[in-house]
Amino acid sequence: MNNSNITSNAEANIMPREKKLKKLKEGNTEFYIHIEDKDVIPSKAMNVFYNEKMELNRDISILAVKSYSNIYNKSELTLVDAMAGSGIGSIRLLNETSSITTVYINDINPSAQELIKLNMTLNNRPQSKVHSFITTKDANLLFNEIVQRSFNDEEASHKKPEIISIDPFGTPVPYIDSAFKCITLNQGLLCITATDTPVLFGVRPKACLRKYMAKPLHNEFCKEIGARILLYTISRIANINKAGFLPLLTFYSNHFVRIFLLTYKSKRKIFQAMENYGYCVYCKHCGHRFKTPLNIINSIGICSLCGEDKLDYAGPLWIGELHERTFLEKISITIGNSESLIKHRNRISNLLQFCLDELHMPIGYFNIHRLCRETNTKAIPKMETLIDHIESKGHTASRTHFDFTSIKTTMDIISLKQLLKKLGSN
């Protein structure tokens, strides 16, 4: 679809549709949604999908694309937004970044296509130099068509995209295989959201086994376990496509998990990355938790801390790092240099700092409020005070973005409970 079609179709319909639409604003981008979709619980029943609470997701995605472009020196990027809804995510990226020269804005809902055209016109995008393709296709079909076009186009005017965003209502798994076939495997940026957190967090364990080929844990650190299961599943599908990735940022917020991955195609690195596959073993008696490689799960019989045999496990899952330091630091610099377009600036800065803090820390985290209840500790210590005391005993500790009332630490749970009781009695 060319830009002139976008302009003519949208302008022809803009006046009568304005009466049924409501204008909103994120950053410096104005956009329309259907009046009936305002202030409702997001669902597939909406005229065109829009989730106001996902603005944080869109803010971080903009910062991530800016940082990716800066670090990996990509000046002419192709973006595919496979499930665009109202188009606000894509249009904000066009308005707030300068490196995207081609964009595919897709949603299978025909009503979404009409609204995206309208919102593009509202932001003067038909007149821009960006090549825009607004489509209404199944995401897998779109990915496959882009791949086929890149093979058939001798002049390579339709190249494989550097950035793909998958943001479905539910699990992203059905689209990951096609996405890896579509994206450039030489330092591409794959952005994946999962909103089926009850599945990943162990509320629906059978569904997790079916969708993600992994066993979850529904316990106090289930959010991290769910994110690691998602990473493992994506990695196995990537390997099938002769690809690997480096997790740049993995975060949880508002009942969704969002992951930013840097792709590569080195067979040596892909094989080495398999060391990041394993299990998390959890003692239901004392709460001890640890990671283990794939090949020794059957040899574990009792908890090494309390000696009980009440062990449970989650996995297979990703036991490696969830983030990459340079990328996080670049986002922090980027948000510091941004104008007042990012609404959740302080919240994102805190989230990034906690992500930096939790690098190289053990798997799982300890909810301090829960441990204080279990030990009948009346006074809950401040996080900073607790971390200082842990570090004074030769251990490491940090906050975690998964749960602001929890910490990660190399101190075992029995010693941590003893410390909490001591601090609570002072």
Side-chain angles (χ1 to χ4, degrees):
M1 179 174 295
N2 59 39
N3 290 344
S4 61
N5 285 341
I6 297 173
T7 306
S8 60
N9 290 342
E11 287 181 344
N13 292 317
I14 189 169
M15 291 308 294
R17 291 186 179 276
E18 275 191 337
K19 296 180 180 179
K20 302 178 182 179
L21 303 174
K22 182 174 182 61
K23 184 185 291 185
L24 303 176
K25 186 173 184 179
E26 284 188 16
N28 65 348
T29 300
E30 292 184 324
F31 62 103
Y32 291 108
I33 66 169
H34 287 267
I35 291 177
E36 297 92 336
D37 295 337
K38 184 73 172 69
D39 300 325
V40 299
I41 298 175
S43 70
K44 294 181 179 179
M46 299 173 71
N47 293 283
V48 175
F49 190 83
Y50 169 72
N51 189 346
E52 183 179 2
K53 292 183 179 180
M54 295 293 273
E55 183 176 355
L56 176 74
N57 186 338
R58 292 185 282 272
D59 285 347
I60 295 180
S61 295
I62 290 167
L63 294 167
V65 169
K66 284 184 177 181
S67 300
Y68 163 77
S69 177
N70 188 294
I71 296 173
Y72 300 102
N73 195 27
K74 304 286 187 179
S75 56
E76 296 184 352
L77 301 176
T78 296
L79 163 70
V80 179
D81 188 355
M83 299 141 189
S86 66
I88 177 58
S90 299
I91 299 172
R92 282 194 63 189
L93 278 167
L94 293 176
N95 287 344
E96 299 179 39
T97 65
S98 58
S99 54
I100 298 172
T101 57
T102 302
V103 61
Y104 293 81
I105 310 179
N106 178 74
D107 199 283
I108 198 170
N109 180 2
S111 297
Q113 185 183 40
E114 296 177 6
L115 192 62
I116 291 168
K117 292 177 184 178
L118 186 60
N119 287 331
M120 288 284 279
T121 299
L122 182 64
N123 287 272
N124 296 316
R125 278 295 155 190
Q127 288 76 35
S128 74
K129 297 181 180 180
V130 176
H131 299 288
S132 303
F133 300 90
I134 301 175
T135 56
T136 173
K137 298 178 180 180
D138 174 80
N140 286 323
L141 175 61
L142 175 64
F143 292 149
N144 292 333
E145 287 184 350
I146 293 173
V147 172
Q148 192 65 42
R149 198 175 300 154
S150 69
F151 287 150
N152 294 339
D153 193 338
E154 295 181 357
E155 297 181 358
S157 59
H158 291 91
K159 62 178 181 176
K160 283 191 172 183
E162 288 82 10
I163 307 172
I164 290 180
S165 178
I166 302 174
D167 193 356
F169 191 84
T171 177
V173 171
Y175 312 101
I176 294 173
D177 180 69
S178 297
F180 272 106
K181 288 178 170 63
C182 181
I183 197 168
T184 177
L185 298 183
N186 182 23
Q187 296 185 334
L189 180 66
L190 188 57
C191 317
I192 299 176
T193 301
T195 59
D196 59 335
T197 51
V199 176
L200 286 167
F201 296 172
V203 178
R204 300 174 59 198
K206 291 183 179 179
C208 190
L209 283 168
R210 175 171 54 84
K211 293 182 178 181
Y212 294 95
M213 300 170 286
K215 178 185 177 299
L217 276 177
H218 187 52
N219 61 8
E220 64 270 25
F221 56 96
C222 63
K223 297 171 185 176
E224 179 179 345
I225 293 297
R228 291 182 179 277
I229 287 174
L230 177 59
L231 274 168
Y232 166 80
T233 305
I234 296 170
S235 182
R236 290 309 306 268
I237 297 173
N239 294 168
I240 293 170
N241 288 282
K242 301 179 182 180
F245 62 72
L246 173 68
L248 298 177
L249 170 61
T250 305
F251 76 95
Y252 162 81
S253 180
N254 290 334
H255 307 291
F256 71 88
V257 177
R258 179 75 160 170
I259 301 178
F260 298 90
L261 308 169
L262 184 72
T263 63
Y264 57 75
K265 55 182 179 180
S266 164
K267 291 182 180 179
R268 177 183 59 83
K269 290 173 65 177
I270 292 171
F271 186 77
Q272 290 175 342
M274 291 183 183
E275 297 177 359
N276 293 311
Y277 300 163
Y279 292 88
C280 174
V281 183
Y282 175 69
C283 178
K284 294 190 287 185
H285 177 73
C286 72
H288 182 47
R289 73 290 307 267
F290 57 94
K291 64 183 181 182
T292 178
L294 285 175
N295 61 351
I296 64 170
I297 184 65
N298 293 329
S299 66
I300 300 169
I302 62 172
C303 175
S304 61
L305 188 61
C306 70
E308 293 287 338
D309 62 355
K310 299 179 180 179
L311 296 183
D312 200 353
Y313 72 95
L317 46 71
W318 183 270
I319 60 174
E321 294 291 342
L322 299 176
H323 324 290
E324 201 278 323
R325 180 175 295 277
T326 302
F327 189 75
L328 295 183
E329 291 174 344
K330 178 57 67 174
I331 292 182
S332 297
I333 294 171
T334 301
I335 195 171
N337 295 336
S338 296
E339 300 177 357
S340 57
L341 300 178
I342 302 298
K343 178 180 178 180
H344 302 282
R345 177 193 299 267
N346 293 335
R347 184 177 175 185
I348 294 174
S349 294
N350 290 334
L351 183 149
L352 291 173
Q353 186 57 57
F354 288 165
C355 288
L356 281 166
D357 292 343
E358 64 191 14
L359 281 168
H360 310 303
M361 295 300 292
I363 193 169
Y365 47 85
F366 299 96
N367 186 286
I368 301 307
H369 290 230
R370 174 173 176 161
L371 292 184
C372 286
R373 287 195 301 270
E374 291 179 359
T375 56
N376 294 318
T377 302
K378 296 181 179 179
I380 301 175
K382 292 182 178 179
M383 290 293 186
E384 293 75 13
T385 301
L386 177 59
I387 290 174
D388 288 343
H389 277 80
I390 292 173
E391 292 178 343
S392 70
K393 296 183 179 297
H395 298 279
T396 57
S398 75
R399 303 287 295 272
T400 174
H401 88 277
F402 285 107
D403 185 348
F404 293 165
T405 61
S406 295
I407 65 167
K408 285 177 167 284
T409 179
T410 56
M411 177 179 280
D412 65 77
I413 189 170
I414 294 177
S415 300
L416 180 57
K417 286 181 177 180
Q418 292 172 348
L419 178 59
L420 287 170
K421 290 183 71 173
K422 180 180 178 180
L423 293 175
S425 63
N426 293 339

